[in-house]
Amino acid sequence: METKKSQAREFSSLFQLFKTQTSNLPQFFAYTGEDSYEFELIIDHYKEALSKSSGPYEIILIVSESGEQAKLFAELFTPDMFYPRKLIIVKQAAALFKPILDTKSTQEWKDFASGFRKNITSVSDEIFLIVHYDGKDIPQGLVQLFQGTLNYYKTKFLYPSDYPKVFKEVCDQEQVHFEPNAADEFIHRIPANVGAYLKSVKKLKQYLHRSKFTIDDVNSVLFSQNELNTNLLVETLIQKRKVDFFKEFTKFGDQNSEILSFLTRLSYKLDEIRKIKVIRTRHNGEVPIPIMDELLKTGSYSDARKNFVRRQLVSDSALFTDKTLDLFYDQVIEMNIKFKSGLRDEEGRNYFLQKIMHLFSLLQERSSK
């Protein structure tokens, strides 16, 4: 494989990397984000590319443990007569590179960084390095450490208007087709990120051994009755169905990702309700489909789905005053901050339930007036 020690470049999507020809695959590539599944897809892509080229290669795994920085240095810069071709995989890179990038580090780490920068541009063309930088953004110091040779991809926050486009990219990548109502159900219920979409599509292909899927396929394979449904949690909260909410919550697995997924879905729902209230105010209580398509980005939905969404949002919006909506937003923001700061286990569960009871009481107060 030809090495490309080119100027640092940001990839716009994972699909851009997957479509890159083997001969142009970046020698040094960093993935920035918390989705480990997406990084595993990148690993698989590199393994496949290396397997297609001539000769065996060695896989080296580097993690954030004491002494692993020295191991990374040795694997990159020390020639190996037995395995000259290598794929070096770095996980937990935020912690691994922290002492190297720290401007207040000891002289030992400053010397390490200086040696890294000096040698990185002369690494053998037979050595490839992929890095999972498990943070929100890639630090400029890391890019500078690689002396302009590091290509990277940063995960992006997806808005509801992005879902259909990303879904289509996944379907094109996996060469699958969904019936319209199956596509609507998939987009509506699968967590909105490339990794979750790809993982779910691959699961359908694996279980059903075909490439065309119906809504029954989606429901039977992807939505087990034993898995927490964050969309159902949002719907039962908004509609004041307290018994159904806590029945679904019994499936909670003490994972912060489930709570954060719920809060993300709830914030989207509140935003949709706010927009519907604005539309109805400006159109004498009506919700014209073209206006809904423009503000809620529902243009790609089927007609049946559009009408369902419109009816549901009109009904839900009647449960909120502007004040109640603002109070809900405040609570969602506070909960997001708490759980992203590491709140979890029994303390996190008790805090979550306390806040949920408060949200139910806000809706109850509205209905009793």
Side-chain angles (χ1 to χ4, degrees), residues 282-297:
R282 295 178 178 176
H283 295 274
N284 298 319
E286 299 297 322
V287 181
I289 289 293
I291 303 298
M292 185 179 78
D293 285 347
E294 179 183 352
L295 291 184
L296 274 70
K297 310 303 180 185

Side-chain angles (χ1 to χ4, degrees), residues 228 248-256 258 344-345 349:
L228 182 68
E248 183 65 23
F249 188 71
T250 60
K251 303 173 186 177
F252 175 58
D254 288 327
Q255 299 293 322
N256 271 19
E258 291 180 334
R344 58 187 314 116
D345 301 327
R349 184 186 184 93

Side-chain angles (χ1 to χ4, degrees), residues 35-45 47 89 91:
D35 193 331
S36 59
Y37 182 77
E38 288 186 356
F39 185 64
E40 293 300 324
L41 294 174
I42 295 172
I43 293 175
D44 290 342
H45 183 66
K47 285 180 178 178
I89 302 167
K91 297 186 176 182

Side-chain angles (χ1 to χ4, degrees), residues 68-179:
E68 289 292 275
Q69 292 92 348
K71 179 181 178 182
L72 172 62
F73 198 98
E75 294 293 350
L76 273 173
F77 307 129
T78 304
D80 188 331
M81 67 174 63
F82 298 105
Y83 276 101
R85 303 179 74 235
K86 299 177 185 178
L87 174 60
I88 304 173
I89 302 167
V90 178
K91 297 186 176 182
Q92 304 164 4
L96 185 83
F97 282 101
K98 184 177 180 180
I100 304 172
L101 303 180
D102 189 353
T103 56
K104 299 180 180 179
S105 62
T106 64
Q107 188 60 46
E108 181 182 358
W109 285 118
K110 290 179 180 178
D111 291 342
F112 184 101
S114 177
F116 195 101
R117 286 191 295 268
K118 179 180 178 180
N119 290 282
I120 192 64
T121 55
S122 59
V123 171
S124 166
D125 291 355
E126 297 297 317
I127 295 177
F128 289 80
L129 171 71
I130 50 178
V131 174
H132 183 186
Y133 193 88
D134 44 334
K136 294 182 179 179
D137 201 355
I138 188 165
Q140 191 59 33
L142 184 62
V143 177
Q144 293 170 350
L145 190 69
F146 280 80
Q147 295 289 284
T149 64
L150 182 66
N151 290 258
Y152 56 91
Y153 167 71
K154 297 187 293 185
T155 53
K156 298 174 179 62
F157 181 82
L158 297 180
Y159 294 93
S161 58
D162 300 321
Y163 300 170
K165 177 185 175 183
V166 174
F167 175 70
K168 183 179 185 304
E169 288 179 318
V170 169
C171 290
D172 290 344
Q173 174 73 24
E174 293 297 313
Q175 298 182 325
V176 298
H177 174 76
F178 286 71
E179 291 184 355

